[in-house]
Amino acid sequence: QVQLVESGGGLVQPGGSLRLSCAASGTIFSISVMGWYRQAPGKEHELVAAITSGGSTNYADSVKGRFTISRGNVKNTVYLQMNSLKPEDTAVYYCHYTLARYGSDSYQDYWGQGTQVTVSS
């Protein structure tokens, strides 16, 4: 089994910062991509940021220059540093890994349970 556990969400004022963490556990052989998605009420699920095993990053236009995705020193961990938060960043944030398990020759998608981020004064 593979589990992704997120932490770090909460309530913050506009202009504030939060750091989300996601840690994966289980029989993981290789991770090709780690990322964060979000879904706000009434809106579609959208990619926020992603990082590949080679270190390449990709960001949604709406968060470029404000959010930073990085891999942690602890194996299989990814962070999302969110600065200059805006009310429109309010959403449930989900971490997402594309990984292969030991004994498998295919990569599959895994999701965390989601963590609420609310930006409000």
Side-chain angles (χ1 to χ4, degrees), residues 36 38 46-50 57-67 83-84 86 88-89:
W36 292 92
R38 67 186 181 187
E46 65 170 346
L47 173 68
V48 177
T57 57
N58 183 36
Y59 294 93
D61 288 342
S62 60
V63 307
K64 283 180 181 176
R66 300 188 297 122
F67 290 11
N83 298 328
S84 302
K86 304 175 181 180
E88 51 263 44
D89 294 317

Side-chain angles (χ1 to χ4, degrees), residues 34-113:
M34 297 186 284
W36 292 92
Y37 286 72
R38 67 186 181 187
Q39 186 163 26
K43 294 190 177 180
E44 292 187 355
H45 204 221
E46 65 170 346
L47 173 68
V48 177
I51 184 166
T52 69
S53 58
S56 298
T57 57
N58 183 36
Y59 294 93
D61 288 342
S62 60
V63 307
K64 283 180 181 176
R66 300 188 297 122
F67 290 11
T68 303
I69 189 169
S70 62
R71 292 176 295 185
N73 291 328
V74 175
K75 193 177 179 182
N76 301 337
T77 300
V78 67
Y79 300 109
L80 184 68
Q81 178 66 43
M82 305 185 293
N83 298 328
S84 302
L85 283 160
K86 304 175 181 180
E88 51 263 44
D89 294 317
T90 295
V92 178
Y93 285 69
Y94 299 88
C95 68
H96 166 262
Y97 286 24
T98 300
L99 61 86
R101 297 176 61 187
Y102 280 103
S104 172
D105 59 0
S106 65
Y107 283 80
Q108 295 182 323
D109 294 325
Y110 291 84
W111 295 89
Q113 79 283 359

